[in-house]
Amino acid sequence: MKRRSLLSLSILLIQFAGCSTETDPDVAEDIFVVLDNESPEQATVAVSVVTGDSSVFEGETAVNPSNRKNVYPGITDTGDYTLTISLGDGREQEYPFNIEEYDLRMGSNIIVSINQTEIEFSIQE
């Protein structure tokens, strides 16, 4: 009799073993703006992220020569965004980009490469 009870309980547990993972939300990775200073001098970088008429993030940081710095802009929703990078030497450049569900799940970072003559943008996939 105890064997039947144990067997019934085992079958019941097996049926519900995988159910809890279906209702758990997907774990999302943070999206960063990665500032990659490829120049031989320290770069003072102002970072601005907007969506529509709303500012998502504004901040300024220094990045040492041949170093990288991650900036967390707080992007948590899908949509169209514009990243503006302003350097202490007066250069400024905008980068429009779109964040989709995949980007939120995978943490698709925006890479900003800064060198002596230009600012280049790419998105990590």
Side-chain angles (χ1 to χ4, degrees):
M1 185 67 175
K2 289 182 183 180
R3 185 175 177 200
R4 280 190 191 158
S5 297
L6 182 60
L7 186 58
S8 296
L9 180 61
S10 296
I11 291 172
L12 184 63
L13 289 175
I14 290 171
Q15 289 176 346
F16 290 105
C19 292
S20 64
T21 59
E22 291 177 22
T23 58
D24 291 341
D26 288 335
V27 175
E29 294 289 326
D30 291 333
I31 295 174
F32 289 94
V33 174
V34 180
L35 303 172
D36 186 8
N37 184 5
E38 299 172 352
S39 72
E41 297 180 12
Q42 184 181 55
T44 301
V45 185
V47 178
S48 170
V49 178
V50 298
T51 182
D53 293 334
S54 300
S55 176
V56 177
F57 176 83
E58 286 187 28
E60 185 174 290
T61 189
V63 185
N64 289 326
S66 303
N67 277 303
R68 285 184 159 201
K69 187 173 273 190
N70 292 346
V71 175
Y72 178 67
I75 297 171
T76 58
D77 295 318
T78 60
D80 293 322
Y81 293 85
T82 301
L83 168 64
T84 303
I85 297 294
S86 303
L87 301 179
D89 64 7
R91 290 184 286 163
E92 182 175 289
Q93 190 148 348
E94 289 186 351
Y95 178 66
F97 62 98
N98 181 271
I99 295 295
E100 297 177 351
E101 288 294 331
Y102 172 84
D103 301 309
L104 292 176
R105 278 193 320 274
M106 300 307 290
S108 300
N109 296 328
I110 297 98
I111 312 296
V112 180
S113 300
I114 302 164
N115 61 46
Q116 291 179 315
T117 59
E118 60 188 1
I119 303 169
E120 296 178 344
F121 299 91
S122 60
I123 193 159
Q124 183 180 33
E125 303 222 6

